[in-house]
Amino acid sequence: MSKPLFQKIFVVAAMAWAAGCAQMQVRPNSTSSTQANNGGPIEKLTTSTEDVVPVEPVMYFRGTKLTNANFDLPVEMNPAVEKWIDYFTGRGRDRFEKYLERSEYFIPFIQPILRSSKAPEDLVYLAMIESGFNNHARSRVAAVGAWQFMAWTGRRYGLEVDWWIDERRDVFKSTVSAVHYLKELYTMFNSWPLVAAAYNAGEGKVDRAIRKFHTADYWALCKHKYLRPETRNYVPKLYAAAIIAKNRKLFGFQESYLKPQEAKLIRENSKVSGRSATAGEDADIAKLPDQLDDPKADAAAHSAGEAASDAQAMKDAKEEEDLLAEDSVETLLKTLPNPASMRTPHVNNNGDAFGDVLTEIEVPSPADLFRVSKAAGLSYAEFKSMNPHLLRWVTPPTQSSIKVKVPLQNKDQFTKTYFASNFDRDVDFLKYKVRRGDNVKTIARRFKLNPEPVAEMNNLKANSSVQAGRMLELPIPSDYVRSLASLKDLDLVDPPSPKHHSRRSRRRKSNNQSVNWIAPCKSECTTFA
């Protein structure tokens, strides 16, 4: 190609490109010019949220459209989720129906706590798949309560767990601790599926999986066998439970298992916001991140010279971590609904759920729970169902006072009866006369007890020896009827005053091992080999 011809082609192409750019620049002003010439107002192009029509989410289960597809967790339908839907509506149907029955009391109680804590309300279904909404549930690895806390994890998040008390069984306190733990996991992983996986397998295991396979996508991690099958099935099980619970009729379950009037009362109680927080209190609550981090947006901010805002964000994140680490369970309690204004769910020995408006009353400790329940007009089993965190027949002798829960309508009756001058509030512990060679551990082993409570009650160390002839108090009732009831949670009336017999032992065979029961006596008691 000759040089003059090439130059002509280049000039023509340049002119065409310039004309196109000019035309593009004029177009946006053409409408405004027309409006001005017509005398109309010149308006800027704005986006109003009022004009945006929210799109109803749609989800299908094998071609059938779900009635309710609104979730605040990233629920999705895939073969793994469908498998668990098949199980819950097939072989596991009876069990899941029991979960739904209990959910009538548990969901209206737990969701306001999640809402006040700025956590997804659908996390309530995590408690459903963990325990079936049973605050007495205990797994094969000793996880306990509606949220299935291990003992050390419960203590880590502010729950009291010892021989006398186990607050993992307290629905309100364990939910507050679970929310704190879940929010802490979210600050680590920024993904609710990973949060659920970490809740099941532990944050260390999930973190190692992310670094090993270089992905923070839960479903991608599930393609490998590094996570246990239980963890790989955990999120699909959670999503399946949420889908069925929100579409009960579609999957053949009842819409409600409550009487209409009872359902109305529970709905009203679930809307109670409890004590409101001041602006200062609200600032102390650790907030969840509004959205996931976007690396591109961060890079653009840096290139625009917005390092100051990044520094502020880092400061805010540091403050959030500090709040999570220090006293955050207490700060969360400031804005949570008041449990005294809500129907507290509880499960009896048969696995049936109930909901009562309970109130807390402080009583001196130790307190005989047989006498406490009698003063409240309740059976021993009913009282224990409402106070599942109290593990024994008596409150801890090492505490000067303790709060017990009774139905609100029984409050006046209880206070009038229990604190009356003629009401017997004495606690009668079994006394044991130490024999030669005894120590705290051998005595505790003989009575099927832990050494710690025996040592605590008698100001001893768990591994210390005891002088022969000394009288020790044991955390066992002094009468036989109470002893049986405390072991089996029998629904028994308050037994009569114990009769005093001569020294003798009552032997009960259980699992080919003998247990010595000592008849109460006026001065001292002993056992015979």
Side-chain angles (χ1 to χ4, degrees):
M1 184 181 294
S2 63
K3 189 173 181 180
L5 181 59
F6 175 82
Q7 290 177 341
K8 288 180 181 180
I9 294 174
F10 178 82
V11 171
V12 172
M15 291 175 65
W17 177 81
C21 289
Q23 205 171 19
M24 289 173 62
Q25 291 175 355
V26 170
R27 274 179 191 160
N29 296 327
S30 59
T31 304
S32 299
S33 301
T34 305
Q35 288 179 344
N37 294 334
N38 295 336
I42 301 176
E43 298 180 354
K44 292 183 179 179
L45 183 63
T46 58
T47 303
S48 174
T49 55
E50 297 178 357
D51 298 334
V52 177
V53 178
V55 179
E56 192 72 18
V58 178
M59 187 177 294
Y60 291 87
F61 174 67
R62 293 175 182 156
T64 302
K65 183 181 177 181
L66 298 186
T67 308
N68 184 355
N70 291 293
F71 304 96
D72 54 11
L73 290 176
V75 174
E76 61 180 86
M77 189 73 72
N78 58 39
V81 175
E82 291 175 353
K83 182 187 74 171
W84 280 101
I85 292 177
D86 289 339
Y87 174 78
F88 287 140
T89 57
R91 289 186 295 120
R93 185 180 189 86
D94 292 342
R95 179 181 298 180
F96 195 79
E97 189 158 27
K98 193 69 175 179
Y99 295 175
L100 290 175
E101 289 177 13
R102 295 183 190 139
S103 74
E104 304 283 13
Y105 298 96
F106 279 82
I107 289 179
F109 184 84
I110 294 175
Q111 279 190 333
I113 301 175
L114 293 167
R115 188 184 312 128
S116 298
S117 305
K118 306 294 188 293
E121 294 181 34
D122 287 339
L123 286 175
V124 69
Y125 299 108
L126 192 147
M128 185 185 219
I129 66 169
E130 280 283 350
S131 65
F133 289 132
N134 184 355
N135 51 310
H136 295 285
R138 182 184 180 89
S139 75
R140 64 181 183 278
V141 293
V144 171
W147 295 93
Q148 290 291 280
F149 273 114
M150 298 294 289
W152 68 271
T153 309
R155 295 189 191 102
R156 174 183 166 192
Y157 290 96
L159 299 178
E160 186 177 352
V161 182
D162 56 31
W163 193 81
W164 302 97
I165 293 176
D166 191 348
E167 290 183 336
R168 294 176 295 175
R169 300 171 186 263
D170 186 299
V171 181
F172 179 75
K173 291 185 177 180
S174 63
T175 299
V176 172
S177 296
V179 169
H180 175 44
Y181 183 31
L182 291 165
K183 291 178 69 173
E184 189 176 83
L185 290 174
Y186 190 82
T187 61
M188 295 173 60
F189 298 110
N190 282 337
S191 164
W192 287 114
L194 290 179
V195 166
Y199 192 89
N200 175 257
E203 54 266 40
K205 180 72 172 182
V206 173
D207 184 59
R208 289 192 295 272
I210 291 172
R211 288 187 278 110
K212 181 179 178 68
F213 300 106
H214 308 289
T215 179
D217 180 78
Y218 170 80
W219 303 105
L221 292 175
C222 289
K223 294 178 181 178
H224 307 279
K225 294 185 178 181
Y226 183 77
L227 298 175
R228 294 176 303 164
E230 179 184 346
T231 306
R232 299 200 300 270
N233 281 282
Y234 195 76
V235 173
K237 189 193 302 185
L238 171 64
Y239 289 176
I243 289 170
I244 298 174
K246 291 191 174 188
N247 297 270
R248 300 183 181 191
K249 192 173 181 180
L250 182 66
F251 292 99
F253 294 99
Q254 290 180 217
E255 286 288 356
S256 177
Y257 294 87
L258 298 175
K259 295 178 181 179
Q261 186 62 27
E262 190 175 12
K264 180 181 178 182
L265 287 173
I266 291 178
R267 281 197 304 271
E268 290 174 352
N269 287 325
S270 68
K271 295 177 182 178
V272 176
S273 60
R275 52 184 179 270
S276 60
T278 64
E281 289 174 340
D282 189 64
D284 289 337
I285 304 301
K287 295 289 192 295
L288 284 173
D290 293 329
Q291 60 184 11
L292 301 179
D293 293 335
D294 186 350
K296 293 182 179 179
D298 292 342
H302 282 292
S303 63
E306 296 183 0
S309 62
D310 287 342
Q312 182 62 40
M314 292 177 64
K315 181 181 178 181
D316 293 342
K318 179 66 169 62
E319 290 176 356
E320 183 173 350
E321 290 177 5
D322 292 341
L323 285 171
L324 285 169
E326 299 177 6
D327 243 6
S328 54
V329 172
E330 286 73 10
T331 54
L332 276 173
L333 286 170
K334 294 179 182 179
T335 55
L336 294 183
N338 187 350
S341 62
M342 304 169 66
R343 284 177 171 262
T344 302
H346 53 93
V347 177
N348 64 11
N349 291 337
N350 296 324
D352 298 321
F354 300 91
D356 293 280
V357 179
L358 304 179
T359 184
E360 288 187 329
I361 302 174
E362 191 167 3
V363 298
S365 188
D368 186 329
L369 299 185
F370 287 94
R371 294 190 169 110
V372 171
S373 58
K374 180 181 179 180
L378 303 169
S379 70
Y380 178 73
E382 286 174 334
F383 177 83
K384 290 281 283 184
S385 174
M386 298 173 187
N387 295 268
H389 59 293
L390 300 177
L391 300 181
R392 309 300 163 187
W393 63 278
V394 67
T395 61
T398 53
Q399 297 184 17
S400 59
S401 65
I402 195 169
K403 291 180 178 180
V404 297
K405 298 176 182 178
V406 299
L408 184 61
Q409 64 267 26
N410 296 35
K411 178 182 178 179
D412 293 340
Q413 173 192 340
F414 174 77
T415 53
K416 182 179 179 180
T417 304
Y418 190 76
F419 293 105
S421 57
N422 60 346
F423 188 82
D424 184 11
R425 295 188 299 273
D426 292 339
V427 179
D428 300 318
F429 290 107
L430 185 68
K431 292 180 173 61
Y432 172 77
K433 186 175 182 180
V434 179
R435 298 182 297 182
R436 183 180 299 175
D438 276 345
N439 58 45
V440 173
K441 286 187 176 180
T442 58
I443 296 170
R445 191 181 306 118
R446 184 173 299 140
F447 289 93
K448 310 298 181 186
L449 300 170
N450 286 354
E452 287 76 14
V454 177
E456 287 177 0
M457 289 182 64
N458 297 278
N459 296 319
L460 298 170
K461 294 182 179 179
N463 58 353
S464 62
S465 58
V466 190
Q467 185 178 0
R470 176 176 172 176
M471 299 298 296
L472 297 184
E473 282 190 333
L474 302 180
I476 297 175
S478 62
D479 63 272
Y480 189 63
V481 177
R482 269 189 175 83
S483 298
L484 285 177
S486 65
L487 289 173
K488 297 183 179 180
D489 278 345
L490 297 178
D491 188 4
L492 300 179
V493 296
D494 193 282
S497 300
K499 296 179 180 180
H500 298 292
H501 302 283
S502 60
R503 299 175 188 170
R504 59 191 177 89
S505 65
R506 292 174 178 173
R507 187 177 296 271
R508 180 173 64 89
K509 296 283 185 178
S510 176
N511 297 328
N512 297 324
Q513 294 180 341
S514 62
V515 179
N516 292 323
W517 296 99
I518 303 91
C521 52
K522 293 182 179 179
S523 57
E524 62 183 27
C525 296
T526 186
T527 58
F528 300 92

